[in-house]
Amino acid sequence: MPEHPPRVVFDDDCGFCTWCANWAARHGDVETVGFEQLTPDQLARLPEDWENCTHFLTDDAVYSCGEAVERALVHDFPVLGPVFAVLRAIPGYAWLRERLYRFGADRRVLLGKLARDDPPARR
C-alpha cells in the first residue's frame, strides 16, 4: 500500500490550474499541493523546470505536464487505464499529448474564464 496518496502539484496562483487540481481531488483519492506549499523533499523530486507545468507525484515516481494529467485521470478513473495503454503504444502519442498540454497551459487565462477556482496563493 502506498505511504501517501498521489499528489497533484499545480500553480496555485492560477485560477484554471486550481480548478483542475480541485477537480482531480473531487473525483479521486489525490492530494493537491500548490507550488507555494511544496516541501523541500517534494521540490527535490521535481524536474529543474518544475514551474512550467503540473506534476503528479506518487511514492515512487514523478510525472510532469501532459503525462501528469494522464496519470491523474487514470488514477481517478481506472477504466481509462486500458485506453491510455493503447494510446501509449501509438507512435507520436507522447509528443501529441505534450503538445495538447502545452496548448492548454499557454491559454490558461482564457480557459480560466470558463472554469476557475480562487487560487490559494491569492487568498
Side-chain angles (χ1 to χ4, degrees):
M1 177 154 228
E3 187 177 332
H4 302 285
R7 293 180 171 104
V8 173
V9 177
F10 68 101
D11 181 353
D12 52 1
D13 192 37
C14 167
F16 179 70
C17 303
T18 301
W19 181 86
C20 291
N22 289 342
W23 187 90
R26 281 192 307 272
H27 290 90
D29 178 29
V30 298
E31 293 179 358
T32 60
V33 180
F35 286 172
E36 289 192 4
Q37 300 169 318
L38 286 167
T39 67
D41 288 341
Q42 292 166 339
L43 190 55
R45 295 182 63 204
L46 297 177
E48 189 174 307
D49 60 347
W50 62 270
E51 291 178 297
N52 289 331
C53 65
T54 192
H55 308 279
F56 189 70
L57 276 63
T58 65
D59 286 342
D60 57 354
V62 175
Y63 304 98
S64 299
C65 305
E67 188 175 20
V69 173
E70 177 186 307
R71 297 295 175 150
L73 284 169
V74 169
H75 179 79
D76 285 356
F77 303 99
V79 70
L80 294 176
V83 173
F84 283 113
V86 168
L87 288 172
R88 282 187 220 111
I90 298 172
Y93 165 71
W95 176 86
L96 179 61
R97 177 192 64 211
E98 298 309 316
R99 294 290 295 184
L100 289 172
Y101 174 85
R102 185 53 39 207
F103 180 85
D106 290 345
R107 289 158 181 79
R108 46 195 186 147
V109 171
L110 175 63
L111 292 170
K113 294 181 187 305
L114 302 172
R116 69 179 324 273
D117 285 340
D118 289 333
R122 294 189 185 184
R123 291 183 194 148

